[in-house]
Amino acid sequence: MSRFLRSAALAALTVAAAGAMASAASAQAYNRLIVFGDSLSDNGNLYAISGQPTSPPYFQGRFSNGRVFTELLGFNAGRYTAGAPVTGSVNYAFGGARTDSSAVPPGMRNQLLAYTGAGGTFGANDLVSILGGANNIFQAVGPASVSPNPTGFIQPVALAAAADINFIVNSVAGAGAGTILVSNLPNLALTPQFNQGPGAPAAPLADYAGTQFNGALLNGLMATAAARPGTNIILLDLYKIGPALVADPGRFGLTNVRDACFNGVTVCASPDSYLYWDSVHPTAAGHRLLAALADDYLYYGDQGAQSAVQAETAFRQREDLLDLASEGLSGREAWEPGSHLTFGAIADSVETDARGVVAAAEATGWGVRGGLDHALSEHMRFGLAATFRKAEVDAGPMAFEVDSYAFDLYAGWRSGGHFINATVGGSIDQYDEITRVTSLTPVIHTGETDGGSVGARIQGGVWFDMGGIGLSPRVAVNYVSTDVNGYIEQGPAAQYAYQDRTVQAASGEVSLRAEGGGGGVSFYVEGGYRDSFGDSSDAVRTGIAANPAHILAREVEDPFGGSLLASAGVEADLGPVNVSFGYRGRFGDAADSHVGAITFRLPL
């Protein structure tokens, strides 16, 4: 729970987003907003021509007691009725609008014609919001309810409304819009108009019509997305979030998700605690929730890039185990033929700085290790080790745990002052308790996945005796490849679909080690530098499950890059048992890591 709270707090500060689909390496960024829709998006257009809704108690011509969600997306869209220029952000939505070519209020097809007729165009960095269809259904529910075949009456109405929206989306995409945010309909049966009073018997019919509309809308959007690959069409799923709001309104700061705050005569005492302002429209608090949900959909490419830390964690752990195996073969002490059992424990911590759209991260972990070590002679030695490691990671809005089950083989050769050793190994990585604090805090999505890591290390060097202190310059080459399998989050906001990802790189290092001691106790210190020379890691690719939205790619900077290495340790012979304590630190361009280990060696 503490990790959830820390993640939620950080996410609330970092969720701000800007966004379209520019290049794989850039953040999402929309230049302006164009709005077509009905009363859920109207910022005062209907009021300007009719004086409705009465304001107050409605807020300045909005169908709510505050600003609507399209006004909370970070743009200052002017009203069509106020003569807002078509070259900037502009809102053409009218309360009461149908999806068709109705004249008054202007239907959504006519809204589009009004915009293009005034010279309006669509560009690659434009964001277009399209939401409508409820008015078509509201006007058909009454006649359908008294018809011999209610569902047969209302189904074509819903399908026609969806066809209108799909026509508008296809037209806007064909005209070059970069991103289109299309909202489906919420569960209309949950609104005060249908959840109580005279309208209650029609609730199932309203829900049926809404689901018919939503299904046809999704099918059409999928087809348009395939035909218009230059436009990112994002479906904002309002239907899916409804049950979460109703089931636990307190999580969202609400106490009433059933009744209307304004009953046509009086206003409730605490509008911000209500979801509905009147029989069908959200309060200002409801619109704030809707805008936060929209952000979760609009900026999925950037926010999904946070998952980069998953592969980075397993990659670093594989490097640590290669270093640890090599460490045991590179000391100055002569090898004595024989076999030993080894066992020990590992503890580590990592701090990673923010890198573009990837937030800062912290990881702590521990592990246990056991193995068999055998020296054939004073020149040849080999062994194997099995390791279990667990890491807990807090990475901005994301947190997760990684359990790794690793196996390493190592061998070494030495003659005189010269030595060379090699290690190969692999691990199965299980990512559990993955959580992401969505833009719609406090909604937290969950997930799990798995993957694997493999790696190899070759090190060589030479020892010089400098009056009782041994000095050893050495070089090493490492290669690590980590795969993380794709997965889909579970939760009611935008369900991010993370794609398979591989992080792989080769690196080289140079270091200098000094070692001394006596009387059964020895110590060492070592310093060096490591840098990658062959990084071919994948970009982080994120989509949205069951959504026409594109899979967006984000290149992520290696958190370490060139890094300084610092190691120190002590080893003691305690009768038949040899005990060693070691520390290894790595200090990179954007991350620092610390690993400590204790190892016991028992002769067989």
Side-chain angles (χ1 to χ4, degrees):
M1 179 59 72
S2 63
R3 289 197 296 112
F4 286 0
L5 293 176
R6 290 198 302 272
S7 296
L10 185 55
L13 295 175
T14 61
V15 147
M21 327 172 0
S23 70
S26 63
Q28 290 174 279
Y30 305 113
N31 287 348
R32 64 182 186 129
L33 173 68
I34 304 152
V35 180
F36 303 111
D38 55 22
S39 54
L40 288 182
S41 305
D42 185 358
N43 63 347
N45 282 316
L46 183 67
Y47 182 77
I49 64 173
S50 69
Q52 295 297 320
T54 303
S55 302
Y58 287 85
F59 175 76
Q60 297 181 5
R62 280 76 168 175
F63 284 79
S64 184
N65 63 316
R67 300 191 183 279
V68 297
F69 87 99
T70 52
E71 298 178 274
L72 306 176
L73 298 180
F75 303 89
N76 185 21
R79 294 195 311 275
Y80 159 61
T81 52
V86 294
T87 54
S89 293
V90 59
N91 189 321
Y92 275 73
F94 277 82
R98 294 169 57 88
T99 58
D100 53 25
S101 299
S102 300
V104 181
M108 293 178 63
R109 284 184 179 237
N110 278 342
Q111 293 172 23
L112 175 60
L113 288 175
Y115 174 75
T116 56
T121 60
F122 299 96
N125 293 320
D126 289 346
L127 170 63
V128 182
S129 174
I130 298 174
L131 192 167
N135 289 314
N136 302 54
I137 293 173
F138 290 154
Q139 294 169 19
V141 165
S145 298
V146 297
S147 73
N149 183 3
T151 57
F153 183 98
I154 207 166
Q155 183 186 45
V157 174
L159 298 182
D164 287 333
I165 297 294
N166 280 314
F167 171 84
I168 295 168
V169 171
N170 185 60
S171 300
V172 172
T179 304
I180 306 176
L181 181 69
V182 187
S183 304
N184 68 7
L185 294 180
N187 187 339
L188 301 177
L190 299 178
T191 64
Q193 178 168 327
F194 294 107
N195 68 27
Q196 56 193 281
L205 185 60
D207 185 37
Y208 171 80
T211 56
Q212 290 291 303
F213 172 90
N214 289 345
L217 177 66
L218 177 59
N219 290 337
L221 294 180
M222 289 293 191
T224 300
R228 307 287 189 184
T231 298
N232 192 16
I233 300 170
I234 305 172
L235 175 64
L236 172 56
D237 195 340
L238 301 183
Y239 192 89
K240 185 173 64 176
I241 195 63
L245 290 168
V246 172
D248 192 1
R251 294 175 61 200
F252 303 93
L254 305 174
T255 60
N256 192 318
V257 295
R258 176 177 173 82
D259 302 316
C261 174
F262 176 53
N263 61 13
V265 179
T266 60
V267 176
C268 66
S270 54
D272 266 3
S273 68
Y274 277 65
L275 177 60
Y276 293 105
W277 169 246
D278 56 23
S279 62
V280 294
H281 299 111
T283 58
H287 276 286
R288 288 193 295 269
L289 293 174
L290 180 54
L293 179 65
D295 279 348
D296 210 47
Y297 282 88
L298 287 172
Y299 304 107
Y300 67 96
D302 290 349
Q303 297 190 53
Q306 193 64 40
S307 64
V309 182
Q310 295 169 353
E312 292 170 358
T313 300
F315 185 97
R316 175 186 55 78
Q317 289 188 336
R318 177 94 305 268
E319 285 190 317
D320 290 346
L321 293 180
L322 294 174
D323 292 343
L324 185 59
S326 182
E327 169 64 37
L329 297 173
S330 62
R332 184 176 63 158
E333 183 180 353
W335 295 342
E336 296 182 2
S339 299
H340 294 79
L341 289 175
T342 63
F343 60 94
I346 307 168
D348 65 276
S349 66
V350 183
E351 293 184 356
T352 305
D353 298 337
R355 295 161 287 150
V357 296
V358 179
E362 294 183 359
T364 57
W366 59 271
V368 292
R369 181 177 173 86
L372 176 65
D373 185 280
H374 180 70
L376 288 172
S377 67
E378 63 181 8
H379 302 296
M380 295 293 296
R381 181 176 164 190
F382 64 89
L384 54 87
T387 307
F388 169 77
R389 294 188 70 176
K390 176 181 282 289
E392 294 185 355
V393 184
D394 286 310
M398 179 171 281
F400 57 92
E401 294 183 358
V402 184
D403 291 344
S404 294
Y405 304 86
F407 192 81
D408 292 274
L409 298 172
Y410 54 87
W413 171 88
R414 65 191 305 165
S415 179
H418 299 81
F419 68 90
I420 187 169
N421 56 69
T423 304
V424 295
S427 63
I428 297 172
D429 307 314
Q430 183 68 46
Y431 301 85
D432 296 317
E433 298 189 28
I434 301 172
T435 60
R436 180 179 69 87
V437 181
T438 70
S439 302
L440 184 61
T441 51
V443 171
I444 296 175
H445 281 194
T446 61
E448 62 179 32
T449 188
D450 54 23
S453 302
V454 296
R457 173 180 170 89
I458 299 177
Q459 182 188 55
V462 61
W463 280 101
F464 299 101
D465 189 353
M466 308 294 290
I469 298 294
L471 289 181
S472 174
R474 68 246 335 253
V475 296
V477 176
N478 310 279
Y479 171 79
V480 173
S481 178
T482 294
D483 294 318
V484 178
N485 293 323
Y487 66 97
I488 297 174
E489 296 178 338
Q490 301 302 308
Q495 284 184 261
Y496 292 178
Y498 302 97
Q499 308 301 299
D500 295 349
R501 183 173 186 237
T502 297
V503 173
Q504 56 186 355
S507 63
E509 70 179 67
V510 294
S511 61
L512 179 66
R513 177 168 172 146
E515 189 171 313
V521 178
S522 62
F523 66 88
Y524 71 89
V525 293
E526 183 175 338
Y529 181 79
R530 176 184 291 177
D531 202 356
S532 297
F533 60 82
D535 189 337
S536 56
S537 300
D538 294 340
V540 181
R541 297 181 302 133
T542 311
I544 304 177
N547 201 292
H550 289 171
I551 295 174
L552 299 184
R554 294 290 176 266
E555 298 287 351
V556 177
E557 175 190 351
D558 174 8
F560 281 100
S563 53
L564 297 175
L565 307 175
S567 302
V570 62
E571 184 175 319
D573 289 322
L574 305 177
V577 181
N578 177 277
V579 182
S580 61
F581 302 87
Y583 161 81
R584 186 175 182 88
R586 184 173 175 183
F587 306 91
D589 296 336
D592 297 333
S593 71
H594 310 275
V595 182
I598 179 172
T599 303
F600 299 88
R601 297 178 70 241
L602 299 174
L604 287 179

